[in-house]
Amino acid sequence: MHALWPVSPPLVPIAGSREGFPVRRIYCVGRNYVDHIREMREGDERDDPFFFQKPADAVVPDGAKVAYPQATGDFQFEGELVVAIGARCRDIRPEDSPKAIFGYAAGIDLTRRDLQKVSVAQARPWEPGKSFDGSAPCGPILPRERSSGLDAGTLVLDVNGDVRQRTRLDLMIWSVPEIVARLSDLYTLEPGDLIFTGTPAGVAAIHPGDCVTVRITGLPSLTITIQEQL
Ligand code: MN
């Protein structure tokens, strides 16, 4: 018995399948590429990366039209590799992480940069800048057993066809196995969890009409279009 209509989880398409991946939680890694830490001129680059979260219903699929969000004048893209968790795990070692990973996708950590900067300056949580409606575009998930070459792969983000971010994935400060292991030391990871693994340099503002595409070696691409504010 529910007093209100129960909310069903958002589904992310799975490449080559008619089934969807039901999203439980969205975790994100902050400051996982040295070149992005340097462009943000924020803190000491020797500090470890860290985690924050977005609400599960912030996820939007490939092809989505994303409304320019409220309360910002500096709406920015961050192209990221996304890891989808497929098995419960807790306190695991990096070498045991593959069995917890369902698959991989291309994602964008959309950010209200002006609000994030206020949070940073005032030593407050990042939620206003990071955890808002439509802030977690995620492309189709490619199951792990069908993905290969990610370790030597690249991520490229373009806006209206102009390349704005390009990185090798092996330049991450914490590798994917380390991210899964460290996150599992803080939370019990469950099937349905997504992890956005951090962005390289090149982040910048986007505006209504812009088309943003993320391509990662071997994975389905992700494209979104920014619409006028609702
Ligand atoms: Mn990010």
Side-chain angles (χ1 to χ4, degrees):
M1 293 259 284
H2 297 274
L4 298 171
W5 195 255
V7 176
S8 50
L11 295 177
V12 176
I14 297 168
S17 170
R18 279 188 292 186
E19 297 179 330
F21 182 89
V23 179
R24 171 184 177 262
R25 291 185 185 171
I26 300 174
Y27 295 101
C28 303
V29 182
R31 302 177 40 141
N32 203 24
Y33 289 86
V34 169
D35 61 356
H36 176 59
I37 297 170
R38 289 178 181 162
E39 75 174 347
M40 298 298 287
R41 294 193 189 84
E42 174 190 295
D44 187 328
E45 67 187 51
R46 294 167 298 184
D47 289 346
D48 275 344
F50 56 89
F51 297 104
F52 59 93
Q53 292 187 45
K54 293 175 184 263
D57 66 359
V59 81
V60 294
D62 176 48
K65 296 173 177 20
V66 175
Y68 196 95
Q70 66 211 95
T72 186
D74 191 8
F75 182 41
Q76 297 199 354
F77 58 79
E78 296 189 355
E80 310 201 359
L81 171 69
V82 179
V83 176
I85 296 296
R88 174 176 292 184
C89 61
R90 179 173 171 170
D91 294 327
I92 64 167
R93 297 172 300 173
E95 55 268 38
D96 294 327
S97 69
K99 63 188 178 198
I101 295 175
F102 177 86
Y104 302 94
I108 308 173
D109 168 14
L110 289 173
T111 300
R112 296 191 287 205
R113 190 73 70 199
D114 42 1
L115 300 189
Q116 183 198 17
K117 285 178 176 171
V118 169
S119 294
V120 169
Q122 300 184 338
R124 289 178 179 169
W126 281 14
E127 266 84 357
K130 290 292 193 178
S131 307
F132 53 94
D133 300 341
S135 62
C138 183
I141 296 169
L142 186 70
R144 178 174 56 85
E145 60 274 13
R146 288 167 44 207
S147 71
S148 62
L150 263 187
D151 291 341
T154 59
L155 177 154
V156 178
L157 179 146
D158 71 62
V159 179
N160 306 324
D162 295 332
V163 173
R164 308 297 286 275
Q165 293 187 288
R166 180 191 296 274
T167 189
R168 288 182 0 224
L169 294 172
D170 65 2
L171 290 176
M172 282 195 262
I173 296 171
W174 283 347
S175 66
V176 167
E178 287 171 330
I179 290 167
V180 174
R182 287 171 182 266
L183 193 57
S184 84
D185 291 340
L186 290 169
Y187 310 98
T188 303
L189 300 182
E190 299 279 359
D193 291 344
L194 297 177
I195 309 170
F196 284 61
T197 58
T199 202
V203 300
I206 41 180
H207 305 93
D210 284 341
C211 180
V212 185
T213 297
V214 181
R215 294 184 178 85
I216 296 177
T217 308
L219 301 183
S221 64
L222 165 66
T223 296
I224 61 166
T225 304
I226 311 305
Q227 302 283 92
E228 294 291 340
Q229 191 171 321
L230 294 176

